[in-house]
Amino acid sequence: MNLIDIIKPSSALDSIMTNTYETAQNTTNDVLDYLSITIAIGTALFTLFTWFSQKKTESNTSLLSMNEQKNLLIDMVRHLYRNFVVSYTIAEKMRMAKYRVYPSEEHLQKLKINMEDIHLNLFYKTDTEYRTMNKLAVMLRNYNLEIDVICKHFGDPNIDENTKQRDISTLLLKCGLLTKMIVAALRYIWEIDAEREAREQIEQAQATYNAAQAPEVEGFQPYANSRSYYTETLFAGSLTQSFLEKFNADVVAELGTNQEGGNKIHMISFKD
């Protein structure tokens, strides 16, 4: 036997090596296939479980959320009325000081609407309701942006008086306009007597803040616009005079001081 015969593997050994390789290859493929199938099944089950959980959550919370969304909108009517009071109070303080003062920034920042109170996801399934709520959301967002701009204008001594008067008009106008849009949304989507609901919210706010007799303020000019949404629609006719009297009483109260003797709405004077 020569050296080549010793080195060259026999046909039997060659067969064993080939079979071993094929077995290993098949085993690896089987394991990979098994793992792939297992992962696929697991993923499918997880996806299905997540879908059912989401649908169950939506089913359980949609009715509650729709009712809560309605309540949040109704509360916005009260918030906007208070904004109306604060805005006119700021207007009077600036006017009486010949626009040489501006409101401390927190008073304007607190006018903003909390946009997290608008849940557009509740209305995806109904196009017309979604459009109504989306339009309202855009207007509320714009109101917040306008407040930021107005805050800068008021605090700038170089901004002219006419611009600041325009800003005040915007603040007053938007309270009524946004209330009008909220009332329309409540009436259309929830089919309630939204005007009555809005009046009740405002009357409750007036009753709360008119509990104490407000002192008279020298130089105060009462609000008398009969063409605002409040006076022209919500409190029209025989209700107008009573609304204006209570509104102006609220403003006079805001012109005063708190229990610690500090101004309810603090104004900052420009340096000469």
Side-chain angles (χ1 to χ4, degrees):
M1 179 178 298
N2 56 34
L3 183 59
I4 294 177
D5 292 332
I6 294 174
I7 296 174
K8 184 178 180 181
S10 65
S11 60
L13 180 59
D14 184 61
S15 178
I16 291 171
M17 291 176 65
T18 300
N19 290 336
T20 301
Y21 173 79
E22 291 178 352
T23 300
Q25 186 70 24
N26 291 335
T27 300
T28 301
N29 290 337
D30 290 342
V31 170
L32 290 175
D33 289 343
Y34 174 76
L35 288 174
S36 297
I37 293 171
T38 302
I39 292 171
I41 293 173
T43 301
L45 290 174
F46 177 77
T47 302
L48 191 62
F49 174 77
T50 302
W51 185 82
F52 274 117
S53 297
Q54 182 179 350
K55 289 300 178 183
K56 184 178 181 180
T57 301
E58 290 178 358
S59 177
N60 291 338
T61 61
S62 288
L63 292 177
L64 292 174
S65 295
M66 283 294 288
N67 187 59
E68 183 60 22
Q69 178 67 92
K70 179 188 71 174
N71 292 335
L72 288 170
L73 290 177
I74 291 172
D75 189 61
M76 268 184 210
V77 172
R78 179 201 58 78
H79 177 77
L80 286 165
Y81 171 75
R82 289 303 305 167
N83 283 6
F84 192 42
V85 171
V86 171
S87 296
Y88 193 69
T89 304
I90 290 172
E92 280 297 283
K93 283 202 162 192
M94 291 177 67
R95 182 190 63 78
M96 288 188 286
K98 301 185 185 300
Y99 298 92
R100 298 306 303 164
V101 298
Y102 64 96
S104 184
E105 287 81 354
E106 79 269 15
H107 299 304
L108 290 170
Q109 292 300 318
K110 286 191 289 188
L111 299 179
K112 288 184 176 181
I113 299 295
N114 181 12
M115 295 305 299
E116 293 182 0
D117 286 345
I118 301 294
H119 300 278
L120 292 177
N121 58 294
L122 297 173
F123 307 95
Y124 286 152
K125 296 179 180 178
T126 307
D127 290 345
T128 54
E129 291 182 359
Y130 178 81
R131 283 195 294 268
T132 297
M133 289 300 298
N134 185 63
K135 183 178 180 181
L136 174 60
V138 169
M139 293 294 290
L140 293 172
R141 181 201 64 193
N142 290 346
Y143 177 60
N144 288 347
L145 294 175
E146 287 166 338
I147 289 171
D148 287 333
V149 173
I150 290 170
C151 192
K152 292 179 181 178
H153 285 178
F154 283 174
D156 188 345
N158 296 315
I159 296 293
D160 61 279
E161 185 177 313
N162 287 337
T163 296
K164 292 180 180 181
Q165 289 175 346
R166 175 187 176 276
D167 289 339
I168 288 169
S169 296
T170 298
L171 289 177
L172 296 173
L173 173 68
K174 285 300 178 73
C175 293
L177 178 61
L178 293 173
T179 298
K180 179 180 180 180
M181 294 183 69
I182 290 170
V183 166
L186 288 168
R187 182 175 59 243
Y188 175 68
I189 298 174
W190 285 272
E191 298 180 347
I192 63 174
D193 187 348
E195 284 83 1
R196 180 182 60 80
E197 190 70 55
R199 276 193 299 273
E200 289 179 357
Q201 286 293 311
I202 293 170
E203 287 169 350
Q204 288 174 12
Q206 289 180 330
T208 299
Y209 287 93
N210 279 300
Q213 182 67 33
E216 293 186 1
V217 177
E218 184 179 354
F220 171 65
Q221 291 184 359
Y223 181 82
N225 183 12
S226 60
R227 297 181 60 187
S228 74
Y229 176 70
Y230 293 107
T231 54
E232 194 171 48
T233 303
L234 287 183
F235 294 91
S238 61
L239 302 177
T240 302
Q241 187 59 34
S242 176
F243 168 80
L244 289 174
E245 289 175 359
K246 292 176 181 178
F247 171 77
N248 285 311
D250 281 341
V251 173
V252 170
E254 289 299 308
L255 287 169
T257 57
N258 57 32
Q259 293 177 344
E260 295 295 330
N263 289 323
K264 289 184 177 180
I265 296 182
H266 177 62
M267 307 298 285
I268 302 172
S269 299
F270 291 119
K271 292 182 179 180
D272 294 329

